[in-house]
Amino acid sequence: MKLAVGSDHMGYSLKTALLDTLREKGHDITDFGSFDPAPVDFPDIAKLVCGAVLDGTAERGIMFCGTGVGAGIACNKVPGIRATVCHDIYTAHQCVEHDNVQIITMGAQIIGPTVAEELIDLFLKAEFSTNGDFRRRVEKLALMDGSNGFSPAPPTN
């Protein structure tokens, strides 16, 4: 699978611990940085990973930061992207099956490479359900962020 991968400085160690393993499993990796442990702002890297997923350069993405939270927030600010923090086995596959998540985010301060590798495997093997309920809900998410050509009405007082 073609993957877009990125990290900030806090997620750098977990990302680099997994890159060779992901390549050995046959995945085509585009690494958008960071390329060393020097401080970098996660929104800048997240924007690049999201762009690759949206333009089809990558089928899915993985972002690493300290907790996974900041990277997840940044990714979800990009219209058309659905991202989630993933630190458990159920979320790893369910997020794709029910919510068609394209990007998972992980925290290097929360999990280690062995657990992260297992979660990534589950995430990459998962497929979006054909169940109409899940598909309808994901369509509503696209409407909410305007990625379907719909602009949400401004809030009223």
Side-chain angles (χ1 to χ4, degrees):
M1 184 176 288
K2 292 182 179 184
L3 301 176
V5 177
S7 71
D8 69 359
H9 54 288
M10 294 303 293
Y12 174 76
S13 63
L14 183 56
K15 180 187 76 170
T16 57
L18 294 166
L19 287 176
D20 287 340
T21 301
L22 290 170
R23 287 185 181 108
E24 288 168 7
K25 291 181 179 192
H27 300 295
D28 181 6
I29 308 290
T30 302
D31 183 356
F32 288 96
S34 105
F35 300 109
D36 60 50
V40 63
D41 296 336
F42 61 82
D44 298 334
I45 306 298
K47 187 175 180 180
L48 298 172
V49 169
C50 291
V53 170
L54 288 173
D55 73 14
T57 304
E59 296 167 74
R60 295 205 185 147
I62 307 165
M63 274 291 300
F64 302 94
C65 67
T67 63
V69 174
I73 292 168
C75 290
N76 280 312
K77 292 291 184 180
V78 177
I81 290 294
R82 289 170 308 284
T84 193
V85 176
C86 183
H87 294 140
D88 68 272
I89 59 171
Y90 185 68
T91 301
H93 62 87
Q94 187 271 350
C95 69
V96 175
E97 294 164 354
H98 292 194
D99 303 307
N100 204 20
V101 163
Q102 307 122 305
I103 299 173
I104 57 170
T105 65
M106 299 179 153
Q109 295 171 316
I110 311 299
I111 60 172
T114 302
V115 172
E117 180 184 346
E118 185 173 340
L119 299 178
I120 291 168
D121 285 346
L122 290 168
F123 169 67
L124 298 179
K125 290 175 185 170
E127 295 180 14
F128 186 35
S129 172
T130 58
N131 180 297
D133 291 340
F134 300 132
R135 294 201 171 241
R136 182 182 67 254
R137 292 172 190 140
V138 169
E139 179 65 23
K140 287 182 177 185
L141 293 173
L143 290 171
M144 288 176 71
D145 76 7
S147 63
N148 256 11
F150 172 80
S151 296
T156 58
N157 293 337

